[in-house]
Structures are given as C-alpha cells and as structure tokens.
Amino acid sequence: MLTVTGTIAIPDAELVERFMRADGPGGQHVNRTESAVELRFDVAGSPSLPDDVRQRLLARRDRRMTDAGVLVIQARRFRDQARNRDDARDRLVAIILEGTRVEKKRLATRPTRASKERRLAGKAQRGQTKRTRSRDWSRE
C-alpha cells in the first residue's frame, strides 16, 4: 500500500513495476543486473484517486503520461534495484500530491494610474536615451 495523503492510498495491485538493465556506471555489474525500474500507474482507471485529483492529473501536460492515461515513471538513478524502486514510488507520490493542490483562480485586475505613469515615464526616458545616441546628420 502506497500512502499519499491521509485520504489517498494506492494499493500495490494498481502499480505495475518492470525491472530492466540500467545504463551508466557500474562496470560489468550493470550488464548483469536489472536495477532500473519502470513504474506504471493507470491514472484514468484508478479507483483509489478522487475524481477531482484524477482530472487535474490528466489535464497536466506531462510527457510521462500516455494517451490512455497511464503514468510511466522510470527510475535508474541508483545502482541497486531497491533504491530505484523507492525512488520511483516517491516520485509517484510527489506527482499525485501536485494533483491534490488546487490552483487559485487569478482575479483580473487593472493597472493603477501610478503604474501607468511609471511605465510611460520609463518609455520616455528610454526614448530620450536612444535619441541622444543618434548622430544629427542635418549639421554635417
């Protein structure tokens, strides 16, 4: 059981782990052991996720999410399988936690009079600086 929050827990039966050979340092050992982990979690079909969290996760533009709504996490940071497995599960928890946060709606506001005046004063100053750089061709 993978506990995300007090109300969200994902049973191990919903997680699909595949072990494969990792690239990187390790000498011949890396060619013999399957230490990398690929963790798959079906976000679209999971009964463990609340509907609002599921919708937020599916709406994210994430390259790890397939078209079918399956989240694929690859962990190959460490040399041993157990640490990579824990790393993949921790990353899954972090992604689901991001889905539990509700973004605040932005309230449309108008610029204040003072901010408009500051912006225009800055533009005028910049224009003056550029005018002083140019050469006056009418005098030559």
Side-chain angles (χ1 to χ4, degrees):
M1 186 70 83
L2 185 64
T3 306
V4 180
T5 63
T7 57
I8 301 174
I10 300 168
D12 290 334
E14 291 186 34
L15 302 176
V16 178
E17 292 175 329
R18 198 180 99 199
F19 301 102
M20 57 197 154
R21 291 186 179 144
D23 52 357
Q28 286 187 0
H29 178 71
V30 79
N31 299 328
R32 297 169 188 256
T33 59
E34 296 186 342
S35 58
V37 178
E38 181 183 83
L39 178 69
R40 291 177 167 266
F41 175 60
D42 186 8
V43 174
S46 173
S48 304
L49 289 177
D51 287 334
D52 56 336
V53 175
R54 178 182 299 111
Q55 293 306 318
R56 278 193 290 274
L57 288 174
L58 290 173
R60 289 179 65 193
R61 295 252 180 234
D62 197 338
R63 60 182 166 77
R64 296 169 291 192
M65 187 78 69
T66 66
D67 292 337
V70 177
L71 185 65
V72 181
I73 298 173
Q74 292 185 348
R76 54 182 58 174
R77 193 180 317 179
F78 303 105
R79 284 187 177 191
D80 59 307
Q81 191 182 78
R83 287 175 69 188
N84 281 330
R85 188 169 180 247
D86 292 340
D87 182 40
R89 286 172 172 249
D90 291 342
R91 285 165 41 198
L92 175 64
V93 167
I95 290 170
I96 295 173
L97 280 175
E98 285 177 25
T100 60
R101 284 192 219 104
V102 180
E103 288 284 324
K104 270 199 213 174
K105 281 209 168 194
R106 183 188 179 281
L107 294 174
T109 58
R110 302 177 88 178
T112 63
R113 178 197 250 163
S115 69
K116 286 181 188 177
E117 289 173 2
R118 280 193 303 269
R119 181 179 67 86
L120 292 175
K123 286 169 75 76
Q125 176 63 41
R126 185 76 179 142
Q128 181 61 35
T129 303
K130 290 184 173 192
R131 273 192 297 280
T132 58
R133 286 185 195 153
S134 66
R135 185 184 263 179
D136 188 11
W137 294 100
S138 63
R139 293 183 186 170
E140 292 182 11

